[in-house]
Amino acid sequence: MASNNIVNWEAREYIAHDKNAGWYIGLTIVSVGLCVLAIWLKLWTFLALVIVATAALLVYVLRQPRLLHYSLTNKGLSEGNNLLTFDQFKSFGVLNEDNHYSIVLIPKKRFSARVTVFFPETEGEQIVDMFGARLPMEPVKLDLLDKLVRFLRI
């Protein structure tokens, strides 16, 4: 799929984890418990926050990840009409989570979020080589939020 320093691939936007009935029961217990606590303490804003957060979490986990189309060129990484240029990032790393490979782009801006892009193993060498020619590679680990999301299977 590569030609003239262009690599194209498709990947899901995130890893969808299967959730059994226990996961939903746990969410219900925690949400109802927090609602009861909020009512008992008369924390109405917190009650509204718990209800909205639970609803948003349910919408998110029930939605299937989209299939995204990526292109990597000499200018940067594009997903649809969104171009991320190499000069926005100070480095990159590669993660392998349960045989799902991803590039993690570390932004130059202090409080910007890392960008994680999944890729198929078959295109991995070309993708890593192209990033490596433009950005320094450094080891990356899951941060605290990533570990929490993985633990909760969100």
Side-chain angles (χ1 to χ4, degrees), residues 24-85:
Y24 293 100
I25 291 169
L27 176 64
T28 302
I29 290 169
V30 169
S31 298
V32 169
L34 289 173
C35 287
V36 168
L37 179 66
I39 292 169
W40 184 58
L41 296 174
K42 297 180 182 173
L43 300 171
W44 309 120
T45 305
F46 181 65
L47 176 62
L49 176 68
V50 170
I51 292 169
V52 169
T54 302
L57 183 59
L58 280 173
V59 168
Y60 180 76
V61 299
L62 293 173
R63 180 180 73 88
Q64 290 299 312
R66 296 176 297 157
L67 184 64
L68 302 176
H69 305 278
Y70 294 101
S71 292
L72 184 59
T73 67
N74 292 327
K75 293 180 181 180
L77 175 70
S78 63
E79 183 272 307
N81 293 329
N82 186 21
L83 175 65
L84 300 172
T85 59

Side-chain angles (χ1 to χ4, degrees), residues 5-133:
N5 285 335
I6 298 175
V7 181
N8 297 299
W9 74 94
E10 293 180 339
R12 297 284 175 191
E13 62 183 321
Y14 58 86
I15 300 169
H17 299 281
D18 292 331
K19 291 158 200 65
N20 57 23
W23 189 92
Y24 293 100
I25 291 169
L27 176 64
T28 302
I29 290 169
V30 169
S31 298
V32 169
L34 289 173
C35 287
V36 168
L37 179 66
I39 292 169
W40 184 58
L41 296 174
K42 297 180 182 173
L43 300 171
W44 309 120
T45 305
F46 181 65
L47 176 62
L49 176 68
V50 170
I51 292 169
V52 169
T54 302
L57 183 59
L58 280 173
V59 168
Y60 180 76
V61 299
L62 293 173
R63 180 180 73 88
Q64 290 299 312
R66 296 176 297 157
L67 184 64
L68 302 176
H69 305 278
Y70 294 101
S71 292
L72 184 59
T73 67
N74 292 327
K75 293 180 181 180
L77 175 70
S78 63
E79 183 272 307
N81 293 329
N82 186 21
L83 175 65
L84 300 172
T85 59
F86 290 113
D87 62 358
Q88 294 175 278
F89 302 98
K90 66 179 180 179
S91 62
F92 80 101
V94 178
L95 277 179
N96 178 2
E97 299 177 59
D98 304 326
N99 288 327
H100 293 89
Y101 294 90
S102 62
I103 292 283
V104 179
L105 299 169
I106 312 300
K108 286 182 180 177
K109 292 183 180 178
R110 183 177 178 112
F111 295 109
S112 294
R114 301 185 324 177
V115 175
T116 301
V117 177
F118 291 93
F119 61 88
E121 185 177 1
T122 57
E123 303 296 327
E125 187 175 345
Q126 288 179 297
I127 293 168
V128 171
D129 287 349
M130 282 189 73
F131 275 108

